Structures are given as C-alpha cells and as structure tokens.
Amino acid sequence: MTNSMVMNQKKRILSGITPSGSSLHIGNYFGAVKPQIELQDNPEYQTYYFVADLHALTTVQDQTQLEENIKQVVLDYLGLGLDPAKCIFFRQSQVPAHAQLAVILGNYISYGQMKRMHAFKDKLQKGVEVESVNMGLFNYPILMASDILIYKPFGVPVGEDQRQHVELARDVAENFNRTYKTELLPLPEPLISKEKGKIVGTDGRRKMSKSLGNTIGIFEDYDLIEKQIMGCYTDPNRVKATDPGKVAGNPVFIYHDLINQNQAEMADLKKRYLLGQVGDVEVKQKLILAHKQFFAQARAKRQELVQQPDQVVAILADGAKRAQAVASQTLREVMEQVGLIN
Ligand code: ADP
Ligand code: TRP
C-alpha cells in the first residue's frame, strides 16, 4: 500500500486561522491551536491547517501589513509545534479551489441565513452602517464553508466563537445535498472544547480577543507580557492582601490552571489566596514565571525559524500542493454534480 492510500483512508481534520493582526494570544492557543496541534499525532486523522489570508482582506487592506501578519501567524504555529511532517499546512490563497468552490456554494444559502451571522451583526452593533459593510465580510461565512467542505472533513477544531460558522457550513452542505439528492458533501462536526473554547480576557468580563485589547501574548517581549499579566483583573472585592479572596472564576487562577505546571505551587497559592495570606502581586509574578517556562520551547523554536525563511516558504508550498490535490478533486465532483462538467 502506498503512503497516499494510507492517507486517504484517514478521516480529515481541517481548521484555519485568519492573519488579522498581532501574534497569537493564550486564548487562541488553549482554545484552538493546542487542540489542533495535538490532533496531528492521532493516527486516525490527517490534519489540514491553513492561514486564511483571503479572509484577512475583510479588515487588513494594507499590503505590507498583510504580508507581515501572514508571516507572524505561520511562525507562531510552527513555533507552537505544528509539524509539517505530520500536518498539511498551507496558505488559503495558494489553493485556488477554495475561492472557486465558494462561488458555487453561495447559491445554496439564503440572504436571511447570512444576515444572522455574528461577524456581520457585530459590525452593525459597533455602529457601522449596513450600507458600508464590505461584501467580503458579509460573504465570509460562505468562503469559510467552502474552506471546510472542500476537504470533506470529519471535524473542525476551533474556539466557541466559530461554532456558528461551522454550523453554517453544515447548512450549506445539507442544502446542497438535498438539492441534488446526493451525499457528496458530508456534514462536518465542530470540535470545540467545553472548558477551553472561550477563555476569559484580562478584563475578567469578555472573551480574550485581540480586538478587545484584553489578551496575554505568547511571543511578545516580556516587558509587554508582564504588563498584561500585572494588569489583569482578579477579585474586585478584595481590597487588601489579608482579605480572603475568590479563586473560582478569577482570571489569574484560570490562567495558572492552564499554564502553571507546578501543581504543588498552585495548590499552595490557591489555599493562601482563599485565606487572605497572599497578595495579587505574588500570584501574578508566579504566573509570569510559569508563562516563561511553559512557552520557552515555543519561543526558542520560533526564533530559530525566523532565521530560516526559505524553509518556511518550502513548507507552505509543499502543503499547498498536497491540499490542492484533495481540494481540486472535490471541486471537480461538485462541478460535475451541478452540471458544469459533462
Ligand atoms: P481573536 O478574537 O483574538 O481575533 P481569532 O478570531 O483570530 O481571535 O481566533 C482564532 C482561533 O482562536 C479561532 O478558532 C477562535 O475560535 C479561537 N479563539 C479566539 N479567542 C478565543 C478565546 N478567548 N478562547 C478560546 N478560543 C479562542
Ligand atoms: N474564521 C476563522 C477565524 O477567524 C478562520 C477560518 C477561516 C476557519 N476558514 C476556516 C476556521 C475554516 C476553521 C475552518 O479564526
């Protein structure tokens, strides 16, 4: 049996990330990137991960900025452990079949369903005039449905905020299959962690998100990461270090639970916090140390890759070739099904 035959028998996993801004934060990492990377080691699956550069055009309309964002997110993923020997890693724009299929799939979803998508509704909530929302943003879920369905994946590992988009992809597939009385497009499962799919931000209120400025970075200079951690919301009812504090739901302890690998230290900190025997500053300083330890290897690996731009380009080119082989096959099947090839 050849390698490609073995590969074809595996169920596929697919996910993407939009290079819309700064480096990844710990919410992205624990909610999406870590589960994605872990799946690369599962022999049942073949993983496909891509940088959704076409999606980024909805907000990044500066060429230098876009190039920079793409580079950053690629390095972040490779630094965090994505292994191109195990995963197929590529740029969306280098696999033209995504965009071609999206043009077809737009016909199997209604305007009413699209209007309910939150990326679009969020813009309106922020006071943007409906007339001026760009069509790339409005159509974003159709392109995302195409990104997904073109690989006929079993599952799509993402954070909670992407659930609605994966569900729309299911709706598109269902409508398509019903229209042509076929099972050509299998319905993908959203793979979303119950506990980690929506990590709270340092403001203690909203989900951690780069656009809200409530993040803790992974690869930034420690000056900045220390500031982010020291500025983190804790227990508002605690005035002095001697007041008993709340651990449950306290963001600093949520982050400790994710990052700190020293169980004994954490148990001790929690115990003293509840009794009012430790100040926020010490808890935060320990979190900074834990962050340094947890991400040391990823930071070193990323630093190494910065010196090897040619290798990074080669990884993406190889990934695109392998992805295009699968994507163009599905595109062809869809074109045959609808009557565009006979
Ligand atoms: P951001 O909101 O910071 O712009 P993205 O939209 O780029 O993040 O999300 C990239 C991936 O990380 C998506 O799969 C998303 O669901 C996930 N994600 C983003 N923020 C969080 C969070 N706070 N908790 C868990 N997962 C998240
Ligand atoms: N919308 C996702 C995000 O903002 C990125 C994305 C684009 C994606 N296409 C996808 C995720 C397909 C999963 C599957 O992070």
Side-chain angles (χ1 to χ4, degrees):
M1 215 185 297
T2 65
N3 264 349
S4 72
M5 283 170 77
V6 172
M7 213 174 88
N8 285 337
Q9 288 166 357
K10 292 188 178 190
K11 290 199 247 179
R12 296 190 191 119
I13 297 288
L14 175 283
S15 197
I17 187 123
T18 307
S20 52
S22 53
S23 241
L24 295 178
H25 53 72
I26 64 169
N28 298 139
Y29 179 66
F30 289 102
V33 180
K34 185 165 183 274
Q36 288 164 3
I37 290 178
E38 281 168 358
L39 283 162
Q40 75 186 359
D41 292 315
N42 187 325
E44 263 183 68
Y45 302 124
Q46 175 62 53
T47 44
Y48 291 76
Y49 298 132
F50 68 95
V51 176
D53 50 5
L54 291 172
H55 284 285
L57 290 172
T58 60
T59 54
V60 186
Q61 302 189 342
D62 175 294
Q63 178 193 338
T64 318
Q65 187 64 51
L66 183 60
E67 285 171 5
E68 185 58 26
N69 290 358
I70 294 167
K71 198 172 93 190
Q72 296 303 331
V73 79
V74 167
L75 289 170
D76 289 357
Y77 259 79
L78 293 170
L80 287 166
L82 184 141
D83 181 352
K86 296 177 182 161
C87 291
I88 297 177
F89 187 42
F90 59 100
R91 280 174 62 167
Q92 181 188 32
S93 61
Q94 292 184 341
V95 182
H98 288 224
Q100 290 170 284
L101 182 64
V103 173
I104 298 176
L105 293 183
N107 298 292
Y108 308 94
I109 198 76
S110 70
Y111 172 69
Q113 281 169 293
M114 291 295 291
K115 258 191 343 189
R116 289 194 282 278
M117 293 292 106
H118 59 57
F120 171 64
K121 283 194 347 200
D122 286 355
K123 274 271 172 207
L124 301 189
Q125 254 175 19
K126 283 181 190 152
V128 175
E129 272 295 314
V130 66
E131 299 290 317
S132 62
V133 168
N134 75 51
M135 287 306 291
L137 183 89
F138 187 73
N139 285 330
Y140 180 107
I142 299 177
L143 180 56
M144 180 156 162
S146 171
D147 296 334
I148 297 173
L149 300 176
I150 206 158
Y151 296 98
K152 302 184 181 176
F154 158 73
V156 183
V158 280
E160 184 59 48
D161 59 354
Q162 296 298 317
R163 184 187 293 280
Q164 194 190 37
H165 291 147
V166 181
E167 276 164 6
L168 185 101
R170 290 172 64 93
D171 290 346
V172 171
E174 251 182 337
N175 288 345
F176 183 90
N177 290 346
R178 192 178 330 107
T179 305
Y180 296 99
K181 300 184 178 49
T182 175
E183 289 177 3
L184 204 158
L185 299 176
L187 308 195
E189 289 300 324
L191 305 178
I192 300 171
S193 162
K194 242 195 167 128
E195 310 80 46
K196 298 178 190 159
K198 192 175 173 187
I199 310 275
V200 70
T202 54
D203 57 2
R205 287 191 300 124
R206 296 167 298 179
K207 89 153 192 144
M208 187 176 287
S209 175
K210 58 181 167 277
S211 59
L212 298 173
N214 60 359
T215 61
I216 295 178
I218 297 175
F219 295 108
E220 280 83 356
D221 288 344
Y222 264 105
D223 281 357
L224 176 67
I225 292 174
E226 285 176 17
K227 246 192 230 133
Q228 291 170 330
I229 292 179
M230 293 314 287
C232 180
Y233 174 98
T234 53
D235 175 352
N237 297 321
R238 196 164 179 251
V239 183
K240 307 183 294 301
T242 48
D243 294 341
K246 232 176 84 187
V247 165
N250 183 330
V252 181
F253 283 102
I254 293 175
Y255 306 147
H256 262 291
D257 280 332
L258 294 169
I259 289 173
N260 195 335
Q261 289 164 308
N262 183 341
Q263 296 295 328
E265 176 178 279
M266 268 207 320
D268 170 64
L269 277 180
K270 286 181 184 172
K271 196 175 103 203
R272 288 197 286 136
Y273 200 83
L274 289 166
L275 294 169
Q277 294 173 355
V278 60
D280 281 357
V281 172
E282 184 182 337
V283 179
K284 289 176 175 175
Q285 278 166 345
K286 293 241 160 66
L287 183 62
I288 294 169
L289 289 175
H291 185 294
K292 285 186 177 164
Q293 249 176 16
F294 190 91
F295 290 112
Q297 203 188 337
R299 289 171 68 101
K301 170 89 190 159
R302 189 182 191 283
Q303 201 48 44
E304 223 176 84
L305 286 160
V306 171
Q307 318 299 327
Q308 304 164 353
D310 294 349
Q311 199 190 326
V312 174
V313 170
I315 289 169
L316 295 171
D318 179 60
K321 216 165 66 194
R322 296 170 70 195
Q324 178 72 17
V326 176
S328 56
Q329 164 78 20
T330 308
L331 177 63
R332 193 177 168 81
E333 289 167 7
V334 168
M335 289 178 77
E336 276 174 4
Q337 182 68 66
V338 303
L340 291 169
I341 301 177
N342 42 35

